[in-house]
Amino acid sequence: MENILRFIRHAKLSYTALFGFINPKSYILVMLLNPLTQILFFGMLVNYVYEGEGLAGFIAANALLLCVMSAVFGMMSVVTSDRGMG
């Protein structure tokens, strides 16, 4: 239970440090809903086109791409906020 509470505290701290200027609803839509629907869409597409062959590889590659997208989004938001502050 202590580990879960520690994870929640660190997640909240990371959110306020990087994305404090974004309201939580937009954050959830961009960082959680978008990646889940993207993985679901491409998983269904691969399942339809290739009859499920190599599905795990496509899902893993897509998950890696989503991690990179999150990192780039975080860095660009930091740069944008720095420019906004002068």
Side-chain angles (χ1 to χ4, degrees), residues 1 4 7 16 19-20 24-26 39 48-49 51 54 57 65 75 77-79:
M1 186 67 179
I4 294 171
F7 174 77
T16 54
F19 306 107
K25 189 169 123 179
S26 298
I39 285 180
Y48 177 74
V49 173
E51 286 90 25
L65 179 66
M75 289 301 295
S77 67
V78 168
V79 169

Side-chain angles (χ1 to χ4, degrees), residues 50-62:
Y50 296 111
E51 286 90 25
E53 185 177 331
L55 182 63
F58 281 100
I59 296 294
N62 201 5

Side-chain angles (χ1 to χ4, degrees), residues 2-56:
E2 181 184 336
N3 291 337
I4 294 171
L5 292 175
R6 185 180 304 147
F7 174 77
I8 291 171
R9 281 195 313 265
H10 284 274
K12 185 178 184 304
L13 183 63
S14 292
Y15 167 75
T16 54
L18 290 175
F19 306 107
F21 59 93
I22 301 175
N23 64 6
K25 189 169 123 179
S26 298
Y27 179 79
I28 288 172
L29 287 174
V30 170
M31 299 303 270
L32 295 176
L33 190 63
N34 184 23
L36 289 176
T37 55
Q38 185 175 346
I39 285 180
L40 183 65
F41 170 73
F42 283 112
M44 291 174 65
L45 183 68
V46 168
N47 196 20
Y48 177 74
V49 173
Y50 296 111
E51 286 90 25
E53 185 177 331
L55 182 63

Side-chain angles (χ1 to χ4, degrees), residues 57-79:
F58 281 100
I59 296 294
N62 201 5
L64 180 66
L65 179 66
L66 289 172
C67 291
V68 170
M69 185 180 77
S70 296
V72 169
F73 180 77
M75 289 301 295
M76 291 309 297
S77 67
V78 168
V79 169

